Amino acid sequence: MTDVHTHILFGVDDGAKTLGQALDLVRREAEEGVTDVVCTPHQGAELLRPALLRERFAALCEAAGCGVRLHLGAEIYYFRGMTAALGRGDLLTMGGGRHVLVEFSDRFETENIPDAVYELSVAGYIPVVAHAERYFYLDRRGYAAVCENGGKLQVNARAFTRRWQRGLLRFLLKEGLVSYIASDCHDPVVRTADFAAAKKYVRAKFPAQEAALFGSEAGADILL
Ligand SMILES: [Fe+2]
C-alpha cells in the first residue's frame, strides 16, 4: 500500500520536526503495512522552496535506509496561478508524475473546487483533492463533479474514527468516489499513521473495495 498524504519530511511544515520524528513515522508506516510513502509537505503561493524540499528529502532517504520506499510530492494549497507555477517546476507533483495533491480552505468557501479541478485537469494534471471529507461547502453533487472534471478524492484514515463524518464517508464509498485513504500523519504520537479504524469500516461495509484501498497496489497509481 502507498500512503499518499504524509507530513513526514522534517522541519519544513507543521509535520515532523526532527529527523528522529521522521524516522519514527517511517517505522510506524512499516508497522501499518505501508510499503511506499509519499512525503507531501505543504506548498502554496507564498511557500514554494522546491530546492529545500528536495534537499531535505535526500537527507531523509539517506537516513531511512531501506524498508519503506519514500517518494517526494507536496500538498499544495490551491491558488490562482497554481497551474503556471507547476509548469515552472516551483510546485512538486506526486513522485514527479501527473498527480497533484491539492487542498482548499476548510473554513471558508474561497474557491469553486470542481472548477479548480477542471483547470488543473485541462492543463494535463490529475488533481487529487486532499482530505476531501473536510469541505463543508461541497455538497454531494459537488463531490461527483470533482470526479467528473478529472479529479480524484483522498480521505483521511482518521476521519473514520469520527461518527459525525461517517454519513459523508459512506456516501463517497457507496458511489465509488474515494480513490485513496491516507494517513495525513504529522507526528508519531497524536496525528500519527493509523489505518485501523478505516480498515475496519471498509472491511465491514464495503469489502469489495478493501483490496483497492489497502491492498499491495493501493495508491500506487498516484506515482504514475
Ligand atoms: Fe496534510
Side-chain angles (χ1 to χ4, degrees):
M1 176 191 177
T2 300
D3 189 357
V4 306
H5 183 170
T6 74
H7 296 272
I8 287 180
L9 208 59
F10 60 102
V12 290
D13 62 8
D14 57 343
K17 289 185 174 57
T18 62
L19 177 59
Q21 273 197 353
L23 296 176
D24 279 352
L25 275 168
V26 171
R27 265 192 298 276
R28 172 79 199 195
E29 293 275 15
E31 286 164 14
E32 289 286 311
V34 171
T35 55
D36 291 75
V37 165
V38 191
C39 299
T40 54
H42 290 289
Q43 283 196 296
E46 309 295 325
L47 194 68
L48 297 169
R49 75 239 155 108
L52 170 70
L53 299 178
R54 288 200 176 90
E55 188 184 297
R56 201 52 63 85
F57 178 68
L60 176 62
C61 290
E62 201 182 327
C66 51
V68 174
R69 283 182 295 268
L70 299 171
H71 309 271
L72 183 58
E75 179 182 18
I76 303 166
Y77 196 99
Y78 180 82
F79 59 98
R80 308 282 161 91
M82 176 174 160
T83 307
L86 278 163
R88 287 194 300 270
D90 287 339
L91 295 169
L92 304 177
T93 66
M94 303 293 273
R98 292 172 62 208
H99 287 78
V100 174
L101 185 65
V102 58
E103 68 169 331
F104 299 86
S105 172
D106 56 7
R107 292 188 199 165
F108 308 103
E109 185 172 359
T110 48
E111 301 293 340
N112 180 312
I113 296 179
D115 282 359
V117 161
Y118 183 75
E119 173 204 320
L120 289 161
S121 297
V122 295
Y125 298 101
I126 303 171
V128 178
V129 176
H131 32 65
E133 73 279 2
R134 286 191 191 169
Y135 306 109
F136 65 92
Y137 50 90
L138 206 50
D139 62 14
R140 295 184 175 197
R141 241 191 357 225
Y143 281 106
V146 165
C147 297
E148 283 157 17
N149 287 359
K152 295 182 178 180
L153 302 178
Q154 176 260 309
V155 299
N156 278 8
R158 262 188 318 278
F160 289 87
T161 63
R162 300 179 196 119
R163 225 163 240 224
W164 56 273
Q165 287 192 311
R166 289 272 177 85
L168 175 59
L169 292 167
R170 191 185 314 115
F171 163 76
L172 295 175
L173 284 163
K174 186 164 162 280
E175 297 298 313
L177 297 177
V178 177
S179 292
Y180 311 103
I181 296 178
S183 73
D184 193 9
C185 63
H186 281 67
D187 65 74
V189 181
V190 183
R191 296 172 76 185
T192 193
D194 185 353
F195 292 94
K199 280 182 180 169
K200 190 176 165 199
Y201 183 84
V202 171
R203 183 170 297 160
K205 307 281 186 190
F206 299 95
Q209 294 185 50
E210 189 182 353
L213 293 169
F214 300 111
S216 57
E217 290 304 306
D221 65 323
I222 207 164
L223 296 166
L224 300 177

